[in-house]
């Protein structure tokens, strides 16, 4: 009876939810994990409907429905046999203080990277990716970005803390190389994405193209564009059609299906991914947790992509 409080094979719905039932480790540097899951409950930079601050919690709760599976379909292995993943809870910052959030998020990311781990961030609105990229670039140098979104997030005219401006600043700050970066699912911002990507320099596979192209062709274009740079993957859940992800602040019709997005992610197995995030899940507009489940599934598939990367310079596992 000694396992009354330590038994870990929970039922699907029992409490103390962490991402995929991983151990909660509040001081991630003390652990020899390979990947640290960090929630960033921010929605101050949202231009539309707020609510993404509740995203990390909803993604974690939805993820427990995925935690029972061993060798995952269709990968054929269990990522947690290969890699040690912990959840360190949510970033703590002064509520309402975007400057404090920005400072703490970059610092926390830098600490995690310095300790030889990588990070899977759960948003939160999409602004969180910018401080994260700043820490990553100091560690990995200029990266390629694979960006799933309905929006380009390359606007120059937003405030300093705006979830539509990160990828205007990121190339200008030298964090990512626009010409090695891809945006998938775009269906707004005609001026920037007309004729491919004339103005902002990213390779764009817009939503109409993505929905008509084969997964293989999309994956080929992504791999050709990123070259041999280290890759950061950011997945704004509004890349998916509102039918698959209604729970988000700025939904746009005509997006990708969950099935297609997951197949594209799986096609990226073998690239040199160094970091990843899932953002913009906003539970107040969700129904039946469909968006939270999509976010949890995308995050889990990213872990499989990460575990399938060719180089393993930061591996601690035995
Ligand atoms: Mn978006
Ligand atoms: Mn976005």
């Amino acid at each position: 009876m000694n396992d009354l409080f330590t038994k870990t094979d929970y039922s699907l719905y029992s409490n103390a939810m962490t991402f995929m039932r991983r151990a909660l480790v509040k001081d991630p540097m003390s652990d020899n994990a390979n990947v640290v899951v960090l929630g960033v409950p921010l929605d101050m930079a949202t231009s539309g409907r707020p609510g993404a601050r509740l995203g990390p919690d909803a993604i974690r709760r939805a993820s427990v429905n995925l935690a029972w599976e061993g060798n995952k379909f269709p990968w054929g292995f269990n990522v947690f046999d290969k890699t040690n993943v912990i959840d360190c809870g949510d970033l703590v910052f002064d509520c309402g203080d975007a400057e404090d959030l920005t400072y703490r998020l970059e610092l926390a990311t830098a600490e995690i990277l310095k300790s030889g781990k990588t990070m899977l961030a759960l948003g939160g609105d999409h602004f969180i990716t910018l401080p994260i990229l700043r820490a990553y670039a100091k560690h990995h140098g200029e990266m390629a970005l694979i960006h799933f979104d309905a929006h380009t997030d390359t606007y120059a005219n937003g405030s300093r803390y705006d979830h539509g401006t990160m990828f205007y600043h990121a190339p200008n700050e030298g964090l990512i190389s626009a010409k090695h970066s891809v945006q998938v699912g775009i269906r707004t911002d005609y001026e920037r994405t007309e004729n491919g990507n004339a103005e902002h320099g990213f390779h764009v596979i817009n939503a109409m193209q993505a929905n008509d192209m084969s997964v293989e062709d999309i994956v080929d274009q992504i791999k050709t564009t990123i070259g041999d740079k280290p890759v950061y993957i950011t997945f704004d859940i509004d890349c998916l059609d509102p039918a698959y992800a209604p729970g988000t602040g700025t939904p746009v019709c005509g997006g990708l299906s969950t099935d297609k997005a997951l197949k594209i992610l799986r096609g990226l197995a073998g690239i040199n991914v160094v970091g990843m995030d899932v953002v913009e899940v906003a539970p107040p507009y969700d129904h039946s947790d469909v968006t939270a489940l999509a976010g949890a599934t995308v995050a889990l598939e990213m872990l499989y992509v990460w575990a399938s990367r060719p180089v393993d310079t930061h591996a601690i596992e035995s």
Side-chain angles (χ1 to χ4, degrees), residues 78-147:
N78 185 344
V79 72
F80 303 115
D81 290 340
K82 282 193 163 201
T83 189
N84 181 6
V85 181
I86 58 172
D87 188 333
C88 73
D90 288 349
L91 185 76
V92 177
F93 58 97
D94 289 337
C95 184
D97 188 340
E99 197 172 326
D100 184 62
L101 171 277
T102 306
Y103 170 75
R104 284 172 182 270
L105 180 52
E106 180 176 344
L107 204 62
T109 308
E111 288 295 313
I112 287 167
L113 296 179
K114 254 192 285 179
S115 69
K117 304 169 175 59
T118 196
M119 196 168 89
L120 165 62
L122 308 177
D125 72 49
H126 212 160
F127 177 76
I128 70 164
T129 306
L130 185 57
I132 292 172
L133 286 178
R134 286 175 180 145
Y136 263 88
K138 281 183 188 144
H139 196 80
H140 289 286
E142 190 186 60
M143 295 166 291
L145 184 74
I146 303 177
H147 171 204

Side-chain angles (χ1 to χ4, degrees), residues 149-151 236 238:
D149 208 317
H151 312 90
D236 183 330
D238 71 25

Side-chain angles (χ1 to χ4, degrees), residues 10 26 86 93 108 115 133 150 174 183 188-189 192 207 249 251 264 266:
Y10 301 93
K26 292 299 286 180
I86 58 172
F93 58 97
S115 69
L133 286 178
Q183 298 184 314
T188 56
D189 201 0
R192 279 187 186 73
I264 295 168
R266 289 172 197 144

Side-chain angles (χ1 to χ4, degrees), residues 53 78 91 128-129 145 154-155 160 171-172 218 221 223 229 232 252 260-261 286 296:
R53 68 178 61 185
N78 185 344
L91 185 76
I128 70 164
T129 306
L145 184 74
T154 56
Y155 291 90
R160 212 165 146 205
N172 288 339
I218 294 169
Q221 284 197 12
K223 285 182 173 172
K229 285 202 170 292
Y232 189 93
V252 186
K260 190 138 197 183
D286 207 2

Side-chain angles (χ1 to χ4, degrees), residues 126 147-153 163 236-239 248 250 252 280:
H126 212 160
H147 171 204
F148 294 87
D149 208 317
H151 312 90
T152 62
D153 294 347
H163 74 152
D236 183 330
I237 206 69
D238 71 25
C239 173
T248 192
T250 45
V252 186
E280 299 285 356

Side-chain angles (χ1 to χ4, degrees), residues 178-191:
K179 72 170 192 283
H180 291 96
S181 296
V182 193
Q183 298 184 314
V184 181
I186 307 297
R187 49 197 185 277
T188 56
D189 201 0
Y190 177 76
E191 289 76 13

